[in-house]
Amino acid sequence: MSDQPAPQSLRTEAIEALLVERKLLTPEDIDTVLTTFSEQVGPMNGATLVARAWTDEAFKTRLLEDATTIIQEYGFEGGQVDKLVVKACTESVHHVVVCTLCSCYPWAVLGLPPRWYKDPGYRSRIVREPRAVLQEMGLTLPETTAIKVWDSSAEIRYMVLPLRPPGLEALDETALTALITRDAMIGVAAIEQRA
Amino acid sequence: MDGIHDLGGQSGHNALGYSRDEPVFKARWEATVFAMVQACARAGAYQNIDQFRHAVERIDPQAYLEHGYYGRWLGAVETLFVEAGILTTLEITERACALGAGGDDLIAARPGHDVNQVAGYPAMRISAAGARSFKIGDPVQTAQDAPLGHTRLPGYARGKLGSITACQGLWPYPDLRAHGHGEQSQPLYTVTFNSLDLGFTEVFELNLDLFEPYLTRPEDQK
């Protein structure tokens, strides 16, 4: 990074000043955004659902049938989710989510999308060569695993229920939650067992 | 509309820039842009997500690729504030230059006043809701043409064969809502494609949520 502020930063500052003068924006509005998306809305919400689905078969069934009702029950908010659909990975099927036209993403369960999800590389390539892209991202799938790509072209948002790795029987829901990453719920990573 | 935003399947954007950890906002100005988009909605400069998406699609294409996500939002929010008559391009540029911006900096915003008259798919393609209702298992052919306005049928899936795998009920129709023509809800379907039918060489299944006006029965094409 150079010391010069980005042109976008200066233009933002200019518009911000004009909007503040017109009483359409306050500095507190910006602080609220920072707090909301740094502390309240994030992948921990999705991880809570995944850990419970891994340990509670009836909950998993409900999650796959009607995730929208479940996130309402949990009170997960943050916009961008009128309807949530959860797709469960199995030994034979892997799911991965994208939005090629913009950057639609299930904010209420995963927070704001990471930079790579919004950039041209992922958006152009994951619908053309998902197996190669996933491998480049560090996820090598067996040849026998089929890939299903979900391009979020309307208002339905998709989240992936990752495969539960074997050997975690001793862990409770809280300990499991800590293993579940944002990237696994987008479908670009597997769950890793940390020692 | 055809545009830089319709990235699916395009070649040439090879780098993934993948990182497992990064801050939610890289700099404060990104959070400021986020708050400005909320302020823009409160001020009535846009009424729905499709209008906002269409403003992003209309920014300078070079800026679209180079300015990042919040740079694109900045271009869109400036476009909308100027089109709503709340701010002018001149006053923004003067203020930015006073803060140290260069006179030849690439500005992402592309405000225009005629664009809201341009609808997406022609109204004649819209059936009364449910009139052409498809059911699960039906084969469908996607529309071949690219409307001038906003649409949610990606270029890579135009003129392709797929099948209905879920019926998602009625949803506001983006092609009209983006242009201020009301919700005009249409049936939405999940359509599943075989990657080979999309012209790709890797074998996988691809799913899109598509509105009824984008779809016809394959036999109607003959």
Side-chain angles (χ1 to χ4, degrees), chain B residues 11 21 32 40 52 60 72 82 136 142 145 173 176 180-181 216:
Chain B
S11 302
D21 291 299
T32 304
C40 188
F52 183 76
D60 181 275
R72 298 197 285 273
V82 171
I136 290 176
T142 58
D145 51 341
Y173 186 44
L176 291 173
H181 296 296
T216 52

Side-chain angles (χ1 to χ4, degrees), chain B residues 1-6 50 53-59 110 114-123 125 143-153 158 173-176 178-179 181 214:
Chain B
M1 59 181 266
D2 280 323
I4 191 69
H5 67 283
D6 192 355
D50 292 306
R53 288 194 184 113
H54 193 48
V56 175
E57 292 166 3
R58 291 185 285 127
I59 69 167
R110 287 264 193 94
D114 53 343
V115 69
N116 285 334
Q117 305 305 315
V118 182
Y121 280 94
R125 289 184 59 156
Q144 189 76 250
D145 51 341
L148 290 172
H150 181 67
T151 191
R152 296 294 289 179
L153 173 62
R158 272 188 220 141
Y173 186 44
D175 298 47
L176 291 173
H179 300 281
H181 296 296
Y214 307 162

Side-chain angles (χ1 to χ4, degrees), chain B residues 105-179:
Chain B
D105 286 346
L106 176 60
I107 297 168
R110 287 264 193 94
H113 290 286
D114 53 343
V115 69
N116 285 334
Q117 305 305 315
V118 182
Y121 280 94
M124 59 178 292
R125 289 184 59 156
I126 296 173
S127 54
R132 197 163 60 206
S133 291
F134 299 104
K135 60 182 190 307
I136 290 176
D138 283 355
V140 286
Q141 164 103 31
T142 58
Q144 189 76 250
D145 51 341
L148 290 172
H150 181 67
T151 191
R152 296 294 289 179
L153 173 62
Y156 74 86
R158 272 188 220 141
K160 299 291 195 283
L161 286 170
S163 62
I164 304 281
T165 47
C167 300
Q168 304 287 7
L170 291 171
W171 291 80
Y173 186 44
D175 298 47
L176 291 173
R177 190 166 72 150
H179 300 281

Side-chain angles (χ1 to χ4, degrees), chain A residues 87 95-99 148-152 158, chain B residues 190 205 207:
Chain A
K87 294 290 169 185
H95 297 278
V96 61
V97 179
V98 67
C99 169
K148 299 190 179 196
V149 180
W150 300 85
D151 185 355
S152 319
Y158 292 92
Chain B
T190 301
E205 180 190 291
N207 301 278

